[in-house]
Amino acid sequence: MSSDLGAPPAVTRRLGYLLKHAQLRLAELAEPLYAPLGITGRQLALLTLFGDGPALSQQDGAARLGIDRTTMVALVDELEAKGLVRREVAPGDRRKRLVTLTAEGERVRAEGEEVTGRAEARLLAPLADAEQFRDALGRVVRGE
């Protein structure tokens, strides 16, 4: 792992260290694949969130991703400036803005998810059963 900086085994065996550095390695693999799409991994996460299911408000999206509302507004502003999302007034609540993907946003989301799959496959290639690992990690995150 290129980011271990010679840390001792007492550190590199810690779960927090391993999870953090696995995420950093995934970003290292994925970000160059996102560049031709004109987005970052964080922007793709928003496209995926807002493109999956019924329209969400910025506030609901922020809550689901665990980010503050101010950061969400800035991220949606970036995506809107790129023509990937649009904000629409929510029926029945003029203060609430629903975020929906444009046709271009949907295209970028689909391509981004495809290249994410390639990066994840490279990251998980050393594992005998990547799906079992993914399922187990999901259970840990959900507290099951």
Side-chain angles (χ1 to χ4, degrees), residues 15 19 22 124 130-143:
L15 183 59
L19 291 171
L124 299 176
E131 280 309 305
Q132 182 180 7
F133 173 76
R134 188 186 302 266
D135 292 344
L137 195 53
R139 288 192 305 276
V140 167
V141 169
R142 290 186 301 274

Side-chain angles (χ1 to χ4, degrees), residues 4-47:
D4 96 19
L5 303 175
V11 172
T12 61
R13 297 282 305 148
R14 293 179 59 104
L15 183 59
Y17 176 94
L18 292 169
L19 291 171
K20 175 185 175 184
H21 286 271
Q23 192 283 324
L24 290 171
R25 177 67 179 133
L26 180 59
E28 186 180 282
L29 293 168
E31 289 298 330
L33 301 176
Y34 300 144
L37 300 174
I39 59 168
T40 65
R42 195 169 194 187
Q43 291 170 335
L44 178 60
L46 265 65
L47 291 174

Side-chain angles (χ1 to χ4, degrees), residues 51-119:
D52 186 32
L56 291 174
S57 70
Q58 293 177 158
Q59 186 174 358
D60 291 340
R64 289 189 184 188
L65 292 179
I67 60 176
D68 66 80
R69 293 186 324 203
T70 303
T71 300
M72 176 60 79
V73 169
L75 291 168
V76 172
D77 284 347
E78 291 171 4
L79 293 173
E80 190 173 44
K82 293 178 181 201
L84 301 176
V85 300
R86 67 179 155 270
R87 293 175 171 111
E88 301 169 352
V89 175
D93 188 349
R94 293 179 38 202
R95 295 168 297 160
K96 189 182 265 189
R97 298 289 180 257
L98 301 178
V99 180
T100 59
L101 272 59
T102 63
E104 179 65 4
E106 181 56 40
R107 182 193 68 75
V108 169
R109 183 200 59 79
E111 287 187 35
E113 288 184 8
E114 189 270 322
V115 298
T116 296
R118 291 198 324 249

